[in-house]
């Protein structure tokens, strides 16, 4: 029989000083019989207390079952020893993890009635293990719940792990990919391309960053993936494999592509925009330079497109532009690029042009599109175009010059009327420069005192009496010299300067009247030329009142010359303005009469007092019977409408005699007097009177 013999001192010391807990336990009751100090320390009870306890009492209920069944096997001799990890309750209520090893204390021929239990406190190790498990679980959850597709591959690149996200991104279940490589998920070409990049960046950076690759979804369509990852190694530094995070950037790519597209295309028509056109033309020019070829540039501008937008609305305008761009595209030859520059402007270049004839033919084809009406919402719309052409290298060697010159040619085409094509000529650019120069100088003409007024006498040809005078604007620029009104008035009208200039002129004339009055000169009516812009865009009635009040003169001494265009565009507003002016005492005359298309009907409605026969008819006298016939007709018309008549541009005695003979006795012209500076006018006419 072998029993734990506590009487043996050596054994006793070993038992007491052991680094592990050792206890003798009753096999049936589980009662502690002998316990060493370490055991007591582990569970927090004294030896005495321990002796009143059984292992079942100390054991955590979750572990008791395993413990008891082990004990049973042991007692029945099925096993010779068992070990398990289990939890005790410490006296203070906390849990203690122990590794328990139990073996029987045999008494020969008997079933063991005592067991020896050895326990090792593994609480710390266990807690660390639990923490590790918990954090592993956290990472697992993280890896599995992320939107990215996370993978681990072995050193041959075969997937050993992929998170479930792969199913959402590529349609595969994770297990379907195990053992495969990324190359199985791509086309052969893409796989080769990506492999090279992977290998290159790994070598260079030791990891892979932002590698874009196109994988195929299980259903076959393309998914753009961005891969970041790095290799991992064992403790000896041997490569084990790679871990990577793959992100589906298909949508992002699409958006970027879209933004890119929008930056270079016109949203309405889908045509390239100016930016794209310019850079393409740039490349085409470089090519043409090397190969000694020509490029033709067509600047295409729709005429009066604004009218369509204004009258039919932007919706119709937009649809029309789309339709036009479609038709333009259909005419475009393979080597040409068409773009919309915005608004109603299109531009096109054609490469490898052999001759001017070729580009002209293309322009003609485009023009033909506009000979037929466009149908938008059941509306038939006729649109005309103006096309300007420039050629590389003749008309410019860079993008900017070529486009600018085609644009200039287009303007000239427009000036010729609808549906015209015009080739660029060097003079156009000189003309435009001159015009811009004039514009700039005219802007400052008033404040720099460059404007003045000359007066031309209007006389009664029968008695040579001064009956009126016309104020004519003069512009002398120190640099350019004298610029005739026929040249600068249209610019002033277009630029809107005419409003200020017109007001300046009225004010200056009024001041002149006062000066002359003060010198004892009873002036007849002075007529002032009024631009249609002044009637339409300013409150002319208020201005006239204000200025005459300022000067202290009556408006009876002024006459306003309007053109037939005012009569033709007679809106109710214009008529009201003219009526109001007339009511202020002003007289109204129609200048250059006969050159416009004003009809009798229109004339009758307006408060007109006088017609001025245009000088072109007067100059026809004794040269062209048509002119004479027109003069007779105008005279008859004036009589029937009870209007005063005056002939402009009378230069010869023959003209004067003809007019007198026909019954027109008032005249203005070089034959009687040139337009004169105020002082000269005074000398000429007052002195004569004296
Ligand atoms: P307009 O109102 O018909 O003025 C008469 C033009 O005929 C003046 O030219 C005058 O110098 C010119 N003229 C007069 N007698 C003869 C003649 O016997 N033979 C020839 N060949 N010409 C003669 P000008 O001063 O060059 O003015 C040209 C046009 O400029 C004017 O034609 C008028 O339409 C416009 N204009 C002149 N001053 C003003 C102004 O203050 N405001 C506006 N809006 N237009 C003005
Ligand atoms: Mg006039
Ligand atoms: Mg005139």
């Amino acid at each position: 029989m072998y029993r734990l013999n506590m009487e043996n001192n050596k054994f006793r010391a070993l038992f007491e000083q052991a680094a592990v807990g050792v206890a003798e336990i009753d096999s049936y009751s589980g009662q502690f019989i002998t316990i060493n100090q370490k055991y007591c320390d582990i569970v927090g009870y004294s030896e005495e207390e321990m002796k009143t306890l059984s292992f079942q009492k100390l054991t955590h209920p979750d572990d008791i079952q395993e413990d008891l069944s082990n004990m049973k096997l042991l007692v029945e001799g099925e096993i010779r020893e068992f070990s398990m990890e289990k939890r005790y309750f410490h006296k203070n209520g906390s849990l203690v993890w122990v590794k328990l090893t139990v073996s029987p204390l045999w008494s020969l021929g008997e079933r063991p009635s005592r067991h020896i239990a050895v326990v090792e406190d593994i609480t710390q190790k266990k807690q660390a293990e639990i923490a590790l498990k918990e954090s592993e679980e956290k990472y697992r959850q993280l890896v599995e719940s992320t939107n990215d597709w996370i993978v681990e591959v072995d050193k041959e690149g075969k997937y050993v792990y992929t998170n479930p996200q792969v199913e959402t991104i590529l349609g595969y279940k994770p297990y379907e990919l195990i053992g495969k490589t990324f190359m199985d998920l791509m086309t052969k070409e893409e796989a080769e391309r990506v492999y090279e990049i992977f290998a290159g960046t790994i070598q260079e950076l030791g990891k892979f960053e932002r590698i874009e690759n196109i994988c195929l979804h299980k259903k076959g369509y393309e998914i753009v993936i961005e891969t970041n990852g790095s290799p991992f190694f064992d403790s000896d530094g041997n490569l084990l494999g790679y871990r990577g995070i793959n992100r589906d950037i298909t949508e992002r790519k699409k958006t970027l592509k879209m933004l890119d597209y929008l930056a270079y295309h016109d949203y309405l028509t889908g045509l390239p925009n100016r930016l794209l056109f310019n850079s393409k033309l740039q490349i085409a020019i470089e090519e043409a330079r090397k190969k000694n070829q020509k490029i033709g540039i067509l600047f295409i501008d729709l005429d009066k497109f604004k009218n369509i937008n204004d009258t039919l609305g932007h919706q119709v305008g937009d649809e029309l532009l789309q339709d036009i761009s479609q038709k333009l595209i259909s005419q475009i030859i393979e080597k040409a690029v068409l773009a919309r520059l915005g608004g109603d402007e299109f531009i096109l270049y054609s490469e490898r042009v052999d001759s001017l004839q070729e580009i002209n033919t293309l322009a003609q084809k485009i023009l033909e599109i506009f000979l037929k009406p466009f149908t938008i919402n059941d509306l038939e719309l006729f649109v005309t175009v103006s096309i300007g052409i420039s050629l590389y290298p003749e008309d410019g060697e860079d993008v900017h010059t070529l486009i600018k010159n085609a644009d200039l040619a287009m303007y000239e085409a427009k000036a010729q009327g609808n549906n015209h094509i015009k080739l660029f000529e060097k003079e156009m650019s000189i003309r435009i420069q001159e015009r811009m120069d004039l514009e700039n100088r005219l802007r400052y003409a008033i404040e720099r005192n460059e404007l003045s007024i000359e007066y031309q006498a209007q006389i009664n040809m029968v008695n040579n009496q001064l009956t009126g005078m016309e104020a004519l604007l003069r512009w002398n620029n120190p640099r350019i010299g004298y610029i005739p009104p026929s040249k600068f008035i249209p610019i002033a009208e277009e630029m809107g300067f005419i409003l200020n200039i017109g007001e300046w002129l009225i004010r200056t004339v009024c001041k002149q009247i006062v000066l002359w009055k003060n010198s004892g000169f009873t002036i007849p009516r002075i007529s002032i030329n009024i631009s249609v812009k002044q009637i339409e865009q300013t409150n002319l009635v208020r201005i006239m009142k204000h200025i005459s009040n300022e000067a202290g003169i009556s408006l009876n001494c002024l006459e306003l010359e309007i053109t037939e265009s005012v009569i033709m565009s007679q809106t109710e507003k214009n008529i009201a303005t003219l009526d109001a002016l007339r009511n202020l005492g002003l007289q109204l005359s129609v200048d250059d009469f006969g050159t416009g298309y004003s009809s009798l009907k229109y004339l009758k409605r307006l408060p007109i007092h006088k017609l001025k026969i245009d000088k072109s008819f007067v100059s026809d006298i004794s040269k062209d019977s048509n002119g004479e016939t027109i003069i007779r007709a105008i005279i008859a018309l004036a009589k029937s409408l009870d209007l005063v008549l005056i002939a402009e541009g009378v230069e010869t005695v023959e003209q004067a005699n003809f007019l007198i003979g026909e019954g027109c006795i008032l005249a203005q012209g070089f034959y009687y007097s040139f337009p004169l500076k105020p002082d000269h006018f005074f000398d000429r006419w007052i002195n004569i009177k004296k």
Side-chain angles (χ1 to χ4, degrees), residues 2 51 111 144 175 287 373 406 420 436 523 586 601 675 681:
Y2 180 79
K51 284 183 175 166
R111 287 194 163 209
E144 301 206 336
Y175 70 83
E287 190 75 11
H420 269 86
M436 276 166 58
I523 31 114
L586 285 150
K601 184 178 91 189
F681 192 93

Side-chain angles (χ1 to χ4, degrees), residues 182 186 190 193-194 198 211-215 223-227 246:
F182 74 85
M186 306 174 174
E190 178 68 353
R193 185 189 73 85
V194 175
F198 270 122
I211 297 180
E212 275 183 33
N213 45 96
I214 298 171
C215 289
I223 299 287
V224 190
I225 299 282
E226 183 188 87
T227 300
N246 301 299

Side-chain angles (χ1 to χ4, degrees), residues 408 424-435:
L408 286 182
F424 171 75
E425 294 158 13
K426 294 258 172 332
E427 299 74 55
M428 289 179 187
S429 124
I430 297 167
R431 274 205 289 279
I432 278 287
Q433 268 164 18
E434 268 178 16
R435 147 105 204 207

Side-chain angles (χ1 to χ4, degrees), residues 544-589:
M544 297 305 302
K545 265 200 222 160
H546 179 75
I547 295 177
S548 59
N549 279 343
E550 210 177 60
I553 56 165
S554 150
L555 285 172
N556 288 331
C557 57
L558 288 180
E559 178 175 308
L560 301 183
E561 296 190 6
I562 56 171
T563 55
E564 280 178 280
S565 58
V566 178
I567 301 168
M568 288 306 287
S569 68
Q570 60 175 272
T571 56
E572 291 309 315
K573 191 167 163 261
N574 282 0
I575 296 173
T577 306
L578 295 180
D579 279 335
L581 289 168
R582 179 75 194 243
N583 291 339
L584 289 180
L586 285 150
Q587 282 195 358
L588 300 172
S589 58

Side-chain angles (χ1 to χ4, degrees), residues 319-378:
E319 281 179 41
L320 181 59
L321 283 170
Q322 285 167 336
D323 195 14
I324 289 173
S325 76
Q326 281 309 313
K327 297 215 163 87
L328 285 173
I329 290 168
S330 69
Q331 292 302 320
I332 298 308
I333 41 179
E334 175 211 335
K335 52 188 184 171
V337 170
L338 173 73
R340 179 174 171 228
L341 297 182
D344 52 6
E345 288 177 348
F346 293 86
I347 193 162
L348 173 157
Y349 76 78
S350 179
E351 285 181 277
R352 304 187 296 282
V353 170
D354 288 329
S355 64
L356 193 56
Q357 185 52 41
E358 183 186 329
I359 199 77
N360 200 32
T361 309
L362 179 61
Q364 289 291 349
K365 265 170 68 184
I366 288 174
L367 211 104
E368 273 166 32
I369 299 175
F370 294 88
L371 298 180
K372 282 185 237 132
F374 295 86
T375 312
I376 308 289
N377 297 345
D378 297 331

Side-chain angles (χ1 to χ4, degrees), residues 537-633:
Q537 293 176 13
T538 57
N539 189 338
L540 197 54
V541 178
R542 211 196 57 210
I543 291 172
M544 297 305 302
K545 265 200 222 160
H546 179 75
I547 295 177
S548 59
N549 279 343
E550 210 177 60
I553 56 165
S554 150
L555 285 172
N556 288 331
C557 57
L558 288 180
E559 178 175 308
L560 301 183
E561 296 190 6
I562 56 171
T563 55
E564 280 178 280
S565 58
V566 178
I567 301 168
M568 288 306 287
S569 68
Q570 60 175 272
T571 56
E572 291 309 315
K573 191 167 163 261
N574 282 0
I575 296 173
T577 306
L578 295 180
D579 279 335
L581 289 168
R582 179 75 194 243
N583 291 339
L584 289 180
L586 285 150
Q587 282 195 358
L588 300 172
S589 58
V590 182
D591 205 353
D592 306 337
F593 188 75
T595 53
Y597 302 95
S598 48
S599 73
L600 200 59
K601 184 178 91 189
Y602 286 153
L603 279 180
K604 273 179 96 170
R605 267 194 84 189
L606 295 175
I608 303 290
H609 170 257
K610 189 196 261 176
L611 298 183
K612 298 186 79 179
I613 304 173
D614 188 65
K615 58 178 172 287
S616 60
F617 306 122
V618 174
S619 74
D620 278 351
I621 293 172
S622 67
K623 278 192 255 163
D624 184 334
S625 59
N626 277 342
E628 292 176 1
T629 312
I630 293 170
I631 292 177
R632 285 193 192 99

Side-chain angles (χ1 to χ4, degrees), residues 372-477:
K372 282 185 237 132
F374 295 86
T375 312
I376 308 289
N377 297 345
D378 297 331
L379 278 175
E380 286 212 329
L381 300 173
F382 277 96
V383 184
T384 60
V385 274
S386 301
I387 303 176
I389 301 175
S390 69
L391 266 189
Y392 169 88
E394 287 85 342
D395 302 331
E397 298 199 16
D398 60 89
V399 172
H400 175 74
T401 314
L402 285 165
I403 296 181
K404 189 191 78 190
N405 289 344
D407 190 12
L408 286 182
M410 184 280 291
Y411 265 100
E412 297 270 328
K414 204 167 270 269
Q416 292 191 354
N418 304 335
N419 281 345
H420 269 86
I421 300 171
K422 194 87 187 143
L423 289 172
F424 171 75
E425 294 158 13
K426 294 258 172 332
E427 299 74 55
M428 289 179 187
S429 124
I430 297 167
R431 274 205 289 279
I432 278 287
Q433 268 164 18
E434 268 178 16
R435 147 105 204 207
M436 276 166 58
D437 185 51
L438 275 189
E439 254 173 50
N440 281 332
R441 291 174 190 278
L442 189 55
R443 200 184 293 273
Y444 304 107
I446 297 182
E447 60 190 70
R448 291 182 184 161
N449 261 331
E450 293 172 11
L451 296 181
S452 61
I453 301 172
E454 286 186 350
Y455 295 87
Q456 189 178 28
Q458 297 174 334
I459 58 146
N460 179 322
M461 291 186 280
V462 178
N463 59 19
N464 275 338
Q465 289 282 311
L466 183 69
T467 59
M469 50 214 280
E470 179 175 7
L472 295 160
L473 199 54
R474 296 292 173 253
W475 179 23
N476 258 296
N477 178 272

